[in-house]
Amino acid sequence: MKFKTTKYHFDLLNDYDRLASFFEAINDYGGLTNVAYDLGCGSGILSYFLSSYFDEVLALEINSSASKCAKENLADFGNVNVINEDVLNHNFEKKADLIVCEMMDTALIDEEQVPVLNHARRFLKEDGTIIPKGIINSCELVNMQREYIHWDECAVYESYSDSVIYSEFDFSDEINPDFETELHIKANKDGTVNGLKITTFTKLNDNIICGPTPMLNPPLLIPIEEQHVKSKDLINVKLKYIMGNGIESIKTDILW
Ligand SMILES: C[S@@+](CC[C@H](N)C(=O)[O-])C[C@H]1O[C@@H](n2cnc3c(N)ncnc32)[C@H](O)[C@@H]1O
């Protein structure tokens, strides 16, 4: 099947690892059931996967060009209803057996996964399921070339520590978007550290974990105050951000 898309959603469609992980998780869920929501449906690709398994698929998309594409792409699927609306304003009339929400980005900072799920979770049946199930965040010390926050696609940096898991979220729980933690990370060589690299792993379900892909949580590099370190030095950093409020909400402080 050919999909009409915007440029951004075309890149999402071409990220096969991202797509395969969602495809497999939806297949694993399987069975013919009642109602699924596809929140932030974009071109409608995940609704297309869901349409084989559900009596009704409600696909919501805030972007009018993308939702127009999704409507055209899914016009022949009588069980899929595409609506151009902000999920946060939508009046859900039926509870869902499954919510699929791919508004993911590294550590959930730059997209609306957390506020959207905090809103939509109230309309999930008690025994309902959310795909993805959650995320795991890890962090390492780096020496990075650029002096501003950026995603890793082609970034140049040198690692100065192991990657340490610092937070995990299960999407079935209400999540406080205000995140704050103290990181204590041991340098593994001598040199200069001036940044943190955050890596997010997506748990699609109990059996599928997807690491970063170009369009699903590419690693995020965050500058910190420059420090000369010796191997085995412990670097202590306070890291704060608001999930859903963008990378401008990220704050770091070295704890001396
Ligand atoms: C990462 S894309 C995923 C698109 C599609 N589900 C896919 O997997 O290819 C996230 C989509 O969520 C939409 N979105 C973001 N915030 C939204 C909101 N509050 N309500 C509805 N859609 C939203 C964006 O416009 C974007 O199309």
Side-chain angles (χ1 to χ4, degrees):
M1 177 165 164
K2 272 209 159 177
F3 264 68
K4 268 192 128 181
T5 67
T6 66
K7 165 76 179 83
Y8 167 62
H9 295 93
F10 179 76
D11 292 341
L12 287 168
L13 286 185
N14 277 312
D15 183 340
Y16 295 123
D17 288 336
R18 182 193 81 93
L19 220 49
S21 67
F22 277 86
F23 177 75
E24 296 213 351
I26 290 169
N27 269 359
D28 272 7
Y29 181 85
L32 277 173
T33 6
N34 222 336
V35 180
Y37 302 159
D38 176 6
L39 305 181
C41 71
S43 63
I45 184 68
L46 304 182
S47 291
Y48 171 60
F49 298 157
L50 290 164
S51 65
S52 321
Y53 295 112
F54 286 84
D55 297 335
E56 288 178 52
V57 179
L58 173 65
L60 296 176
E61 172 53 53
I62 199 168
N63 178 292
S64 56
S65 314
S67 87
K68 195 164 167 253
C69 292
K71 267 187 195 151
E72 282 184 39
N73 294 331
L74 300 166
D76 293 338
F77 294 78
N79 58 344
V80 182
N81 183 16
V82 179
I83 299 178
N84 175 208
E85 196 180 3
D86 185 336
V87 173
L88 299 173
N89 296 333
H90 187 73
N91 186 15
F92 292 92
E93 284 168 2
K94 284 189 187 165
K95 287 208 166 186
D97 299 277
L98 174 69
I99 293 179
V100 175
C101 184
E102 204 289 67
M103 297 185 196
M104 303 289 292
D105 72 289
T106 317
L108 309 176
I109 302 170
D110 208 48
E111 283 199 48
E112 289 189 66
Q113 186 86 2
V114 168
V116 159
L117 280 181
N118 280 347
H119 172 70
R121 199 181 291 107
R122 289 178 283 149
F123 305 99
L124 180 67
K125 288 182 186 167
E126 233 169 74
D127 58 349
T129 301
I130 298 177
I131 294 177
K133 186 180 165 64
I135 58 153
I136 302 168
N137 292 320
S138 73
C139 185
E140 68 195 81
L141 301 169
V142 294
N143 182 286
M144 55 195 258
Q145 224 169 46
R146 299 187 210 158
E147 292 170 356
Y148 51 87
I149 299 173
H150 60 285
W151 285 271
D152 174 38
E153 282 142 275
C154 328
V156 182
Y157 64 86
E158 189 181 343
S159 180
Y160 270 82
S161 74
D162 292 339
S163 196
V164 175
I165 291 178
Y166 72 88
S167 70
E168 288 191 41
F169 291 103
D170 188 318
F171 291 148
S172 60
D173 301 328
E174 174 86 14
I175 296 174
N176 178 357
D178 292 330
F179 180 80
E180 182 171 337
T181 192
E182 285 184 11
L183 303 165
H184 307 285
I185 309 180
K186 204 180 265 184
N188 59 14
K189 59 184 174 195
D190 300 356
T192 304
V193 164
N194 64 2
L196 301 173
K197 176 185 162 202
I198 296 182
T199 304
T200 296
F201 300 89
T202 307
K203 288 202 259 183
L204 277 299
N205 60 23
D206 286 331
N207 303 317
I208 305 171
I209 293 192
C210 186
T213 72
M215 298 301 288
L216 182 70
N217 309 328
L220 184 63
L221 289 153
I222 302 170
I224 57 171
E225 201 176 320
E226 184 171 288
Q227 297 185 65
H228 300 291
V229 297
K230 294 244 175 270
S231 176
K232 301 206 171 72
D233 278 357
L234 203 57
I235 308 304
N236 304 305
V237 186
K238 185 184 270 191
L239 173 66
K240 282 169 72 167
Y241 46 77
I242 304 173
M243 291 180 275
N245 265 36
I247 54 173
E248 302 75 24
S249 69
I250 300 172
K251 305 272 176 286
T252 61
D253 262 319
I254 300 286
L255 302 167
W256 298 101

